[in-house]
Amino acid sequence: DGSYIAGGIYYIDRSGMFTIESTLPIREPGQTNVSDYKSENRLSTNISFLEIFPEYRFRIMDNFINGPLRVIAGFRLAFPLTHNFSQKEVILSPDNADFLSNNKRERLIADGDIRTINSLHYGFSAGIENLLKTGENTYFSQQIVFDFNLNNVASDVTWSLYAIRLELGLRFGIMQKHELIIPEQPVIDTVKKEIPIVPAKEKLLSIKFK
C-alpha cells in the first residue's frame, strides 16, 4: 500500500567544536611598532548517543529513476554514552609567537566530563529516501535526513543539537515473495437436453339435444 512503519537502534557520534577568534594589539619589548595578536579559543566536545528511532515511511513515487521514492518521518530518543570536552587556546598570528608555559602555539585551558548533560534527549527526524533497484529483492538506498533535538544537550546552558545525515546502504528483503496462484475454473460441459413437445389435447365439444 506504500506505507511502512519501522524502527531502528543507532550509535551516532555527534561531536563538534565551538570556536571564538579574538584580536589584541601587542608590542614587543624595545619596539615601537604595534602588531596584532590573533588567537582562537577552541572548545571540542566528544559526545556519542545510543538512539532509538521509530519511523514512518511513505512512498510518494513508485518508479523514480529505477525504484521507489519515499519520505521519512520519525521520533528519536537518545541516551548519551560518552560526554567529555577539552578547551584550548591556539595562536594564529604572528608566526613567531608561542606561550611561555609550554613554548608551543597552543595551550590547554580545561578538560573533563560534561557533568550537566541531560540523561535523556528527544527530538524528531525527517528526510527523503531514494531506492535504486539492483536485484530481485535488493536496492541501493540513499537517504538525506534532518535531525533536530527538542531539549538542550546540557541543563545549565542553551545548547541546541541538530544535524543533516547522508546515509548510503544496501537494502534487501529477507522474506520470500509468494505469488498468489488462482486456480483455473474447470470447464463444465453442459448437455443440451431436448424437451419433448407434448401436443396439447384437443378440447371436446359435447352437444346434447333435448
Side-chain angles (χ1 to χ4, degrees):
D1 56 358
S3 300
Y4 304 89
I5 297 177
I9 299 177
Y10 300 90
Y11 169 80
I12 298 182
D13 189 348
R14 299 192 183 275
S15 302
M17 179 182 294
F18 302 96
T19 61
I20 298 178
E21 186 175 318
S22 60
T23 302
L24 296 174
I26 60 172
R27 185 178 61 186
E28 296 184 8
Q31 301 292 331
T32 58
N33 60 321
V34 177
S35 60
D36 290 335
Y37 165 79
K38 293 184 178 180
S39 65
E40 189 175 64
N41 196 320
R42 298 176 181 176
L43 177 62
S44 301
T45 60
N46 178 26
I47 305 175
S48 62
F49 294 91
L50 178 67
E51 299 191 1
I52 301 175
F53 181 37
E55 62 183 10
Y56 174 76
R57 295 174 183 254
F58 180 75
R59 182 183 300 177
I60 57 177
M61 292 183 65
D62 291 332
N63 192 10
F64 179 76
I65 303 178
N66 189 27
L69 182 68
R70 304 191 294 194
V71 293
I72 309 168
F75 187 77
R76 292 184 300 104
L77 292 175
F79 304 91
L81 299 178
T82 58
H83 45 90
N84 53 69
F85 77 99
S86 65
Q87 184 178 5
K88 296 181 179 180
E89 184 180 3
V90 181
I91 299 176
L92 301 179
S93 67
D95 296 334
N96 59 348
D98 54 20
F99 293 106
L100 295 177
S101 59
N102 56 7
N103 295 324
K104 295 181 180 180
R105 295 182 61 83
E106 67 176 43
R107 62 173 180 172
L108 180 65
I109 298 176
D111 63 353
D113 292 333
I114 304 175
R115 300 179 181 179
T116 58
I117 191 168
N118 290 316
S119 59
L120 176 63
H121 295 247
Y122 51 90
F124 65 88
S125 297
I128 193 167
E129 178 190 28
N130 179 34
L131 296 175
L132 296 178
K133 189 174 180 63
T134 58
E136 180 64 25
N137 294 318
T138 58
Y139 295 88
F140 178 62
S141 172
Q142 313 110 68
Q143 295 185 168
I144 298 178
V145 183
F146 175 76
D147 296 335
F148 183 78
N149 267 23
L150 298 176
N151 60 336
N152 290 318
V153 175
S155 60
D156 59 344
V157 65
T158 302
W159 182 359
S160 301
L161 183 62
Y162 59 90
I164 296 178
R165 294 185 284 121
L166 173 62
E167 298 182 2
L168 303 175
L170 184 65
R171 184 180 296 273
F172 59 92
I174 59 176
M175 298 183 65
Q176 296 182 356
K177 183 185 295 184
H178 297 280
E179 295 183 359
L180 180 61
I181 300 176
I182 301 176
E184 296 181 356
Q185 295 292 335
V187 179
I188 301 175
D189 293 336
T190 57
V191 179
K192 184 178 180 180
K193 296 182 179 180
E194 295 184 357
I195 301 176
I197 300 176
V198 179
K201 294 182 179 181
E202 296 182 0
K203 294 184 178 179
L204 300 178
L205 180 60
S206 62
I207 301 175
K208 184 178 180 182
F209 296 97
K210 183 176 179 180

